[in-house]
Amino acid sequence: MSTSGTTPAPTPGGAASDFTCSVVETPRLRMNVWTSGPADGAPVLLVHGNLTTGGFWTYVAAELPSDVRVIAPDMRGFGRTDAAPIDATRGLGDMSDDVHALLETLGLAGTRRVTAAGWSMGGGVLQQLFLEHPDDLGALVLVAPVSPYGFGGTVDAAGTRAFDDAAGSGGGGAAPEFVRRLREKDRSEDDPGSSPRIVLRSFFGAGANAPNVDEEFLLSEALTTRVGDDFYPGDSRPSENWPMLAPGDRGVLNTMSPNHYDTSAIARSTAGIPITWIHGSDDAVCADRSMFDFGTLGELGAVPGWPGAAVLPSQPMKQQTRAVLAGYAAQPGQEGLVKEVELEGIAHGLPLEVPGRIAEEIAEVLVR
């Protein structure tokens, strides 16, 4: 393993005392990696979601068994990892390949020793890694993951697109004022609807557990997000279909457009490892009625001109995930390998809101 010294970073309050970060040189890029626990401990890979970093896993790390070695990288475009551009035509392939290269560098690729958990977009990264490098993982925990059919533009549990060009998904869906304030690293609560602090708190935050997390640390981490066509939110194209925009080929949000991202082949996988799916009943992000989905926003009148539920309903993200995992469990010898955990009253920020419960589910499938 080739590493350089500890990267300057804020220290989270109330978290694992040894949760620190350093740079790991991989064949693909220099990755900032947050770690805790003994170097020879059971490896637990934690992959963060959109607008966050590996640092967001600090509260889960603090709850994991003492013999666990936490490995929580910042994905490209986030945190202190190299600002390498994101090719969205490969879905989340750039990021899953980055994770594979990290595991190779650490001597863990292909060993089936790694227990991996991915939150939101990170769950999508691990789904793609699972398909392309199944021997990298010994167990998989999906925490409020993006659907196997991506984010936006699909209408049913089978992932059918509303439009051939996947209109209603991708980089054009981000609110311009939020993007501007993210670029300017705005920490204020002014105009709450576009404030990075309020959006983070409302949709990715700790809920009732807020007194026990360090919001200033989390906001500082979120504001490391690179902004632009190659990063967040990505580029877009005009469309003849409502909402008159279609995904482009670059940047974060386009990686999860259904014309680039599809991991539904998990339903046919015979990898034979346990998969746990954890989600909250009050999730407003990766949900059957996501507040970031154009079908939902159109129905609520937040975006004018909605063509109606017969054309573009809310994407049934949880139904899609459930159907794909049911297919995986139905493969020969895999009955009982899928566990679904719905947490009542919990929203999207599970690693912050219920870190102990997430750690408990990871420990249950831990490969030792």
Side-chain angles (χ1 to χ4, degrees), residues 35-109:
T35 59
S36 65
D40 59 351
V44 172
L45 171 70
L46 303 175
V47 182
H48 69 81
N50 191 17
L51 299 173
T52 65
T53 71
F56 273 64
W57 287 105
T58 182
Y59 303 101
V60 173
E63 300 287 342
L64 286 167
S66 61
D67 64 341
V68 160
R69 173 193 184 188
V70 170
I71 303 163
D74 293 345
M75 296 292 96
R76 62 171 63 201
F78 301 94
R80 295 158 189 82
T81 287
D82 283 350
I86 300 167
D87 177 4
T89 64
R90 305 183 59 234
L92 286 161
D94 271 348
M95 295 188 193
S96 66
D97 283 356
D98 291 344
V99 171
H100 176 67
L102 174 63
L103 294 178
E104 282 187 321
T105 302
L106 300 178
L108 294 169

Side-chain angles (χ1 to χ4, degrees), residues 47-50 57 117-125 127 141-148 151 203-204 256 276-287 317-318 321 325 340-343 346-351 353-354 358:
V47 182
H48 69 81
N50 191 17
W57 287 105
W119 173 32
S120 196
M121 178 193 76
V125 172
Q127 290 174 57
V141 179
L142 300 174
V143 182
V146 65
S147 162
F151 198 105
F203 293 101
F204 300 84
M256 294 173 278
T276 302
W277 171 34
I278 312 170
H279 56 99
S281 67
D282 293 359
D283 193 336
V285 181
C286 291
M317 300 184 196
K318 289 188 179 182
T321 300
L325 293 181
E340 177 180 349
V341 179
E342 181 175 62
L343 301 180
I346 303 302
H348 190 66
L350 285 85
E353 191 169 0
V354 285
I358 301 304

Side-chain angles (χ1 to χ4, degrees), residues 261-284:
Y261 181 84
D262 182 348
T263 60
S264 61
I266 289 171
R268 301 183 295 278
S269 170
T270 56
I273 70 167
I275 300 178
T276 302
W277 171 34
I278 312 170
H279 56 99
S281 67
D282 293 359
D283 193 336

Side-chain angles (χ1 to χ4, degrees), residues 41-271:
V44 172
L45 171 70
L46 303 175
V47 182
H48 69 81
N50 191 17
L51 299 173
T52 65
T53 71
F56 273 64
W57 287 105
T58 182
Y59 303 101
V60 173
E63 300 287 342
L64 286 167
S66 61
D67 64 341
V68 160
R69 173 193 184 188
V70 170
I71 303 163
D74 293 345
M75 296 292 96
R76 62 171 63 201
F78 301 94
R80 295 158 189 82
T81 287
D82 283 350
I86 300 167
D87 177 4
T89 64
R90 305 183 59 234
L92 286 161
D94 271 348
M95 295 188 193
S96 66
D97 283 356
D98 291 344
V99 171
H100 176 67
L102 174 63
L103 294 178
E104 282 187 321
T105 302
L106 300 178
L108 294 169
T111 66
R112 293 218 170 195
R113 292 178 52 214
V114 175
T115 304
W119 173 32
S120 196
M121 178 193 76
V125 172
L126 290 180
Q127 290 174 57
Q128 194 151 348
L129 180 72
F130 174 81
L131 288 176
E132 295 173 358
H133 301 283
D135 289 339
D136 281 359
L137 305 179
L140 176 60
V141 179
L142 300 174
V143 182
V146 65
S147 162
Y149 297 102
F151 198 105
T154 59
V155 303
D156 55 24
T160 305
R161 290 189 214 172
F163 308 109
D164 288 343
D165 64 356
S169 68
E177 186 65 6
F178 172 78
V179 174
R180 180 189 69 79
R181 295 179 71 177
L182 186 67
R183 179 187 291 110
E184 295 176 0
K185 303 187 185 304
D186 185 341
R187 303 182 73 95
S188 77
E189 297 188 26
D190 300 340
D191 299 320
S194 64
S195 163
R197 180 188 294 273
I198 300 302
V199 170
L200 182 73
R201 184 190 298 163
S202 301
F203 293 101
F204 300 84
N209 195 43
N212 299 312
V213 304
D214 184 346
E215 182 174 275
E216 297 307 316
F217 165 75
L218 298 172
L219 178 61
S220 293
E221 288 297 291
L223 293 178
T224 64
T225 301
R226 273 70 163 190
V227 176
D229 285 351
D230 283 321
F231 305 107
Y232 180 89
D235 63 345
S236 65
R237 296 189 176 96
S239 173
E240 296 180 354
N241 301 306
W242 189 86
M244 322 316 293
L245 58 88
D249 294 334
R250 300 154 58 198
V252 174
L253 295 189
N254 294 312
T255 65
M256 294 173 278
S257 171
N259 63 341
H260 297 319
Y261 181 84
D262 182 348
T263 60
S264 61
I266 289 171
R268 301 183 295 278
S269 170
T270 56

